[in-house]
Amino acid sequence: MSKAMIGTAVVTGAGTGIGRAAALSLLGAGWTVALLGRRLEPLLETQGLAGSASDHAFPLTADVGDVAGVKAAFAEVQSRFGRLDLLFNNAGRGAPPVEFDEITDEDWLGTVAANLNGAFFCARAAFGIMRRQDPKGGRIINNGSISAHAPRPFSAPYTATKHAITGLTKSIFLDGRAHDIVAGQIDIGNAATPMTERMTKGVPQANGTRMVEERMDVAKVGEAVLHMASLPLEANILTMTIMASKMPFVGRG
């Protein structure tokens, strides 16, 4: 029987929400985790929440949309740990919900920079380490979203980037085959984080109404990421959808 994976991981956007939940799940299972994010203080909070595993959590500041910053961060990971077994590409942002023609250049470019460019920059850096290390190989998990399948009203920048993540995931998986690098995507719907707090007050629906939407405990997302990460490299979950059971996705619109 193949042994479950435990090794060194990078989690982007590890200072809050889904990134924090995933990092804590990995740390609790014995992984060593580089906590990557733009601001040091939230990363230190995540490290503190790891309790006895905090010695295996290492805050690392970088903006994923800055290619030079990403290269420096992953060089630090390689220098400190000698190898990389897992990347959870989680960092991202949304844009204000406005009419399509009112989307600003700044919001479009900023969302693409964080959600798509950032995911690519981090995956490219991780792939390079994984391809050249000995033994070679590793796993990249991209945070897709329910929006990788169906858009919400007034969400073009976010939805476009999340659809693109699906193609990026499949390309990494295909191109990594010769190097024992696997890739998967987790599509998350309505985890209880600050980003979804607005859903407790009601959000626009496809039929023009507004409604309060159910959310789920973000820790369950962390557990799902851990499950994907724990598989031996001979097995891969290409796509996983985890969602609040009563959210309007099946039947949306």
Side-chain angles (χ1 to χ4, degrees), residues 150-155 159 190 198-199 203-205 213 247 252:
R152 290 184 175 278
F154 311 120
S155 69
T159 297
N190 291 14
R198 62 193 179 91
M199 295 177 185
V203 290
Q205 304 296 308
E213 293 192 11
M247 71 169 288
R252 182 188 291 185

Side-chain angles (χ1 to χ4, degrees), residues 78-97:
Q78 187 171 26
S79 174
R80 180 185 290 266
F81 305 115
R83 66 176 293 110
L84 178 61
D85 301 292
L86 172 69
L87 166 66
F88 179 38
N89 241 338
N90 164 74
R93 56 160 282 185

Side-chain angles (χ1 to χ4, degrees), residues 5-187:
M5 284 285 294
I6 295 178
T8 299
V10 172
V11 175
T12 69
T16 59
I18 289 167
R20 172 175 284 179
L24 293 176
S25 286
L26 291 165
L27 287 162
W31 286 76
T32 296
V33 183
L35 309 170
L36 194 149
R38 290 181 296 118
R39 296 177 295 131
L40 180 60
E41 185 177 350
L43 300 176
L44 292 173
E45 291 176 1
T46 299
Q47 182 183 34
L49 289 169
S52 62
S54 62
D55 288 346
H56 297 282
F58 298 89
L60 194 59
T61 55
D63 182 340
V64 297
D66 173 26
V67 64
V70 169
K71 287 180 178 179
F74 279 81
E76 172 67 18
V77 169
Q78 187 171 26
S79 174
R80 180 185 290 266
F81 305 115
R83 66 176 293 110
L84 178 61
D85 301 292
L86 172 69
L87 166 66
F88 179 38
N89 241 338
N90 164 74
R93 56 160 282 185
V98 298
E99 293 284 355
F100 187 86
D101 62 302
E102 295 176 359
I103 298 168
T104 66
D105 296 344
E106 291 77 13
D107 282 328
W108 174 265
L109 293 172
T111 304
V112 170
N115 296 5
L116 182 55
N117 293 349
F120 167 73
F121 293 154
C122 290
R124 181 177 63 180
F127 194 105
I129 296 172
M130 293 171 178
R131 183 163 74 90
R132 294 173 176 86
Q133 64 194 7
D134 185 21
K136 67 180 181 178
R139 187 181 309 274
I140 296 170
I141 300 173
N142 293 324
N143 184 345
S145 171
I146 293 294
S147 292
H149 303 276
R152 290 184 175 278
F154 311 120
S155 69
Y158 186 80
T159 297
T161 59
K162 292 305 185 179
H163 274 65
I165 288 295
T166 300
L168 180 65
T169 300
K170 291 177 180 179
S171 289
I172 296 167
F173 189 32
L174 178 59
D175 294 346
R177 187 175 294 169
H179 310 294
D180 297 328
I181 298 169
V182 300
Q185 178 169 320
I186 184 165
D187 297 322

